[in-house]
Amino acid sequence: MTQRRAYRWPQPLAGQQERIWYGGDYNPDQWPEEVWDDDVRLMKKAGVNLVSVGIFSWAKIETSEGVYDFDWLDRIIDKLGEAGIAVDLASATASPPMWLTQAHPEVLWKDYRGDVCQPGARQHWRPTSPVFREYALKLCRAMAEHYKGNPYVVAWHVSNEYGCHNRFDYSEDAEHAFQQWCEERYGTIDAVNDAWGTAFWAQRMNDFSEIVPPRFIGDGNFMNPGKLLDFKRFSSDALKAFYIAERDTLAEITPDLPLTTNFMVSASGSVLDYDDWGDEVDFVSNDHYFIPGEAHLDELAFSASLVDGIARKDPWFLMEHSTSAVNWREINYRKEPGQLVRDSLAHVAMGADAVCYFQWRQSKAGAEKFHSAMVPHAGEDSAVFRDVCELGADLNKLSDEGILGSRLAKSRVAVVFDYESEWATEHTATPTQHVHHVDEPLAWFRALADQGVTADVVPVRGAWDGYEMVVLPSVYLLSEETTRRVRDYVVGGGRLVVTYYTGISDEKDHVWLGGYPGSIRDVVGVRVEEFMPMGNDFTGVPDHLDLSNGAVAHDIAGVIGSVDESATVLATFKDNPWTGMDGVPAIVANTFGEGRSVYVGARLGREGLALSLPEILESLGMAEAGGNDGRVLHVEREGADGSRFVFSFNRTHETVRVPVEGEVVVSSFADVDGETASIKPNGVIVTKK
């Protein structure tokens, strides 16, 4: 296992006290210099103390091969630093300039049909190209040599959102790199044949040179699932190797500066194995953009909790989010009043010690001109900028009160998230295309919140086995090592919830035989013989199943053929006798060793889980785990001195009255009256005990 890099956080400028970092991406090269002084004025007004500079500036910095122009960048960095605003300086390698791609078109990535990605947007480079690596590292060296010792640069922002557009490359460079990756992972071609099950469809290979990327195989055909899973692993590793090369080049010249790159962690974001990448950064950074609609706050809190899990509860950096609308959805909804402040404080509640936006000033040209910013097209006389200033004051108040010495308090309950299980369930030949791993963890997080439990979201490699209760929500892949951890956890007294689609295959996506959930059947006390998918694409097929406890299952259920003597059925399915599902167990409790488990054999959604949870918690001996008002999301940060910061977020569209414990530090869209507070929709209060 890779050793995790030592945690290092950007330090304040000389003479300044440490505070929550606040700011955003700043692109001064998009504006005439007469705007720069106004930018600095407005930044100071808003309380901004850090900006990220140069992310997409390669063409402006290296104007032609080997010709560098640092003068403009020097001038703006000096202006910022002299005003007390620190710089998170980018390596500027995210998108190559036109002169490079014209001279070396071989650096452009290819799609699965072999078509070349042409310049015209961003990230049009292949991570396995030795030519592109040479040019990118040359720029990194030039940047590091020029800015080493600069008193205003506090961190390196390495590239930007790796894999956002170039996650998969099917070029000849990628083919050779994939062959080498397979040889390093498996050692022999026979081991690859075994892992990929190439005896099926005569896919056996005699040599590593016969390995090709999962290119186009014809419409309606099915790619080898083992190869596809490994190609996703390889693609994450290939981008990570490129990041490490950039990181090490910068670190060699500027060893005192911490380095990071911005992840894209969200409830549905599985571009890269971000938990694996978390080992390679000095501090974890994330870009998160809200999901419009009723899941807005819950999805944000879920994602932020997962980032905290990836960071192993060290402080992390919110590198990008939006003040209001984004520009890249079919319909780009604005944020409601209150949500700019509330969303940022929700990230802080979950462990962020930095809050930054894309971007500082809204662009007047280019593909992102309708993406919201801290200074919108309307200028400083706008609701958005007034909220930006309010948030800056709130973050300063929290800093004054000592929140930087605190960490997100550990919950009693962990919900496990696994990137590789999501990749495996994305295959096109599964029991149903309507079920993936990513759907279930968020449903559990929300249902637990409805019961007053704010769970921690923990990566499968994380220390989930240190929690009182653990949920394995559709964790499709259970390796032998993870299986051992599950068994040891329950034998030792842990309380475990396992759902449908958990433990179907091992890490090679080979099905655990003998009935589902494979390697942990005895732990949960059930044996599932087959799946029962549900839908409405054919007339007369089942589209749901009722449960005896009032919940309703959709999309998929497991046909439990038997339960162990140690198990107790908590709920059964109710259906017409001819379907074979009437009376079949749906939720089953079991004892195993010193611990207890519950198996949830169908997709119940947030509503069905919330309805079923009281009995599930009681059967696990965790009935008292809730107790908080489910209308309010409660999050705590704990200081080393015993202080506690309690964040209370209204999850509803109605005003909610809550008791006030401690001193109110920050309130937004809330009225505090003595020992109680009325939190309005999109409102939050923060108290200190």
Side-chain angles (χ1 to χ4, degrees), residues 26 43 78 181 277 321 389 398 479 498 503 526 537:
Y26 181 38
M43 287 177 189
D78 285 346
W181 183 91
W277 277 61
H321 68 316
C389 293
L398 288 169
S479 66
V498 174
V526 304
D537 51 343

Side-chain angles (χ1 to χ4, degrees), residues 258-296:
L259 304 97
T260 192
T261 188
N262 41 339
F263 299 166
M264 297 179 289
V265 177
S266 66
S268 59
S270 57
V271 174
L272 305 173
D273 186 343
Y274 291 115
D275 188 53
D276 174 54
W277 277 61
D279 291 342
E280 304 295 347
V281 293
D282 291 342
F283 60 96
V284 169
S285 299
N286 192 50
D287 295 353
H288 182 273
Y289 290 95
F290 73 99
I291 302 299
E294 60 88 25
H296 182 144

Side-chain angles (χ1 to χ4, degrees), residues 498-551:
V498 174
T499 79
Y500 71 93
Y501 239 42
T502 292
I504 305 303
S505 294
D506 64 15
E507 69 275 12
K508 296 181 288 189
D509 200 5
H510 291 195
V511 173
W512 290 105
L513 300 179
Y516 317 123
S519 57
I520 57 168
R521 283 194 311 273
D522 53 345
V523 177
V524 295
V526 304
R527 181 172 176 269
V528 179
E529 297 182 7
E530 61 177 331
F531 300 108
M532 181 190 170
M534 292 167 276
N536 54 15
D537 51 343
F538 289 94
T539 302
V541 298
D543 65 353
H544 74 282
L545 277 172
D546 293 322
L547 272 66
S548 58
N549 67 358

Side-chain angles (χ1 to χ4, degrees), residues 330-612:
E330 183 176 354
I331 301 173
N332 293 300
Y333 297 98
R334 69 189 278 262
K335 284 192 176 180
E336 299 168 4
Q339 290 181 346
L340 184 155
V341 172
R342 182 205 65 184
D343 288 2
S344 297
L345 292 179
H347 286 289
V348 172
M350 288 294 183
D353 277 359
V355 173
C356 289
Y357 289 98
F358 179 85
Q359 59 180 320
W360 165 250
R361 184 180 286 275
Q362 191 169 6
S363 302
K364 65 178 180 180
E368 293 185 295
K369 63 182 179 292
F370 290 117
H371 192 294
S372 61
M374 299 173 79
V375 181
H377 288 152
E380 66 178 297
D381 184 14
S382 62
V384 164
F385 188 70
R386 285 189 286 273
D387 284 352
V388 163
C389 293
E390 177 187 335
L391 176 61
D394 289 343
L395 298 179
N396 269 325
K397 182 69 184 303
L398 288 169
S399 297
D400 290 339
E401 292 292 335
I403 198 169
L404 289 173
S406 66
R407 302 289 185 271
L408 176 65
K410 182 178 178 180
S411 175
R412 299 178 65 186
V413 180
V415 175
V416 175
F417 188 93
D418 179 30
Y419 287 101
E420 293 193 355
S421 285
E422 169 55 20
W423 295 345
T425 59
E426 290 168 347
H427 196 269
T428 54
T430 57
T432 170
Q433 294 298 289
H434 293 177
V435 173
H436 298 107
H437 164 67
V438 293
D439 300 322
E440 198 67 13
L442 178 58
W444 276 92
F445 182 86
R446 300 191 72 193
L448 285 162
D450 291 339
Q451 299 299 310
V453 180
T454 303
D456 283 355
V457 185
V458 182
V460 71
R461 293 192 315 139
W464 49 262
D465 39 3
Y467 286 77
E468 291 183 52
M469 173 181 161
V470 174
V471 182
L472 295 180
S474 298
V475 182
Y476 180 88
L477 301 178
L478 283 187
S479 66
E480 290 187 4
E481 169 62 18
T482 307
T483 294
R484 181 195 61 76
R485 289 180 65 192
V486 171
R487 300 178 72 86
D488 289 350
Y489 171 72
V490 182
V491 166
R495 281 89 159 214
L496 178 73
V497 176
V498 174
T499 79
Y500 71 93
Y501 239 42
T502 292
I504 305 303
S505 294
D506 64 15
E507 69 275 12
K508 296 181 288 189
D509 200 5
H510 291 195
V511 173
W512 290 105
L513 300 179
Y516 317 123
S519 57
I520 57 168
R521 283 194 311 273
D522 53 345
V523 177
V524 295
V526 304
R527 181 172 176 269
V528 179
E529 297 182 7
E530 61 177 331
F531 300 108
M532 181 190 170
M534 292 167 276
N536 54 15
D537 51 343
F538 289 94
T539 302
V541 298
D543 65 353
H544 74 282
L545 277 172
D546 293 322
L547 272 66
S548 58
N549 67 358
V552 180
H554 293 279
D555 297 312
I556 196 167
V559 183
I560 296 177
S562 60
V563 298
D564 293 351
E565 291 184 0
S566 56
T568 302
V569 176
L570 302 182
T572 59
F573 294 114
K574 295 166 57 179
D575 203 14
N576 293 312
W578 50 266
T579 66
M581 293 300 292
D582 190 48
V584 170
I587 303 176
V588 178
N590 191 44
T591 57
F592 188 78
E594 298 297 318
R596 309 181 195 182
S597 70
V598 170
Y599 185 80
V600 180
R603 185 178 185 183
L604 304 182
R606 169 199 178 184
E607 295 79 7
L609 292 175
L611 189 153
S612 305

Side-chain angles (χ1 to χ4, degrees), residues 338 341-342 345-346 349 394 398 403 632-636 644-651 656-689:
V341 172
R342 182 205 65 184
L345 292 179
D394 289 343
L398 288 169
I403 198 169
V632 178
L633 184 72
H634 294 274
V635 186
E636 291 194 17
R644 290 192 297 157
F645 291 85
V646 181
F647 294 74
S648 300
F649 300 91
N650 188 348
R651 299 174 70 219
V656 179
R657 198 158 188 82
V658 299
V660 173
E661 299 180 26
E663 172 196 357
V664 176
V665 177
V666 169
S667 66
S668 176
F669 277 61
D671 296 318
V672 180
D673 181 15
E675 296 182 353
T676 61
S678 296
I679 308 178
K680 301 171 185 176
N682 302 325
V684 53
I685 64 167
V686 186
T687 61
K688 181 181 179 182
K689 297 182 181 180

Side-chain angles (χ1 to χ4, degrees), residues 82-199:
E82 290 166 5
I85 300 167
V87 171
D88 170 44
L89 185 59
S91 64
T93 53
S95 289
M98 291 297 293
W99 60 258
L100 193 161
T101 54
Q102 281 194 336
H104 296 284
E106 69 272 20
V107 307
L108 301 170
W109 60 266
K110 292 183 178 181
D111 70 10
Y112 74 115
R113 290 178 179 265
D115 293 335
V116 176
C117 172
Q118 295 293 334
R122 58 180 177 171
Q123 285 194 334
H124 40 280
W125 53 273
R126 61 177 76 161
T128 56
S129 166
V131 174
F132 183 70
R133 177 177 289 208
E134 178 183 349
Y135 278 91
L137 297 188
K138 180 184 172 185
L139 177 61
C140 286
R141 282 190 290 272
M143 293 284 288
E145 288 288 355
H146 188 82
Y147 288 104
K148 65 181 179 183
N150 188 294
Y152 305 134
V153 176
V154 298
W156 282 111
H157 186 302
V158 186
S159 193
N160 187 73
E161 293 185 339
Y162 284 92
C164 183
H165 302 284
N166 61 346
R167 177 189 181 190
F168 297 133
D169 169 40
Y170 301 84
S171 67
E172 294 75 14
D173 285 335
E175 180 175 306
H176 296 317
F178 187 37
Q179 292 167 355
Q180 183 178 357
W181 183 91
C182 290
E183 187 167 7
E184 291 173 355
R185 182 179 178 89
Y186 291 107
T188 68
I189 195 64
D190 285 340
V192 179
N193 283 313
D194 173 70
W196 294 359
T198 58

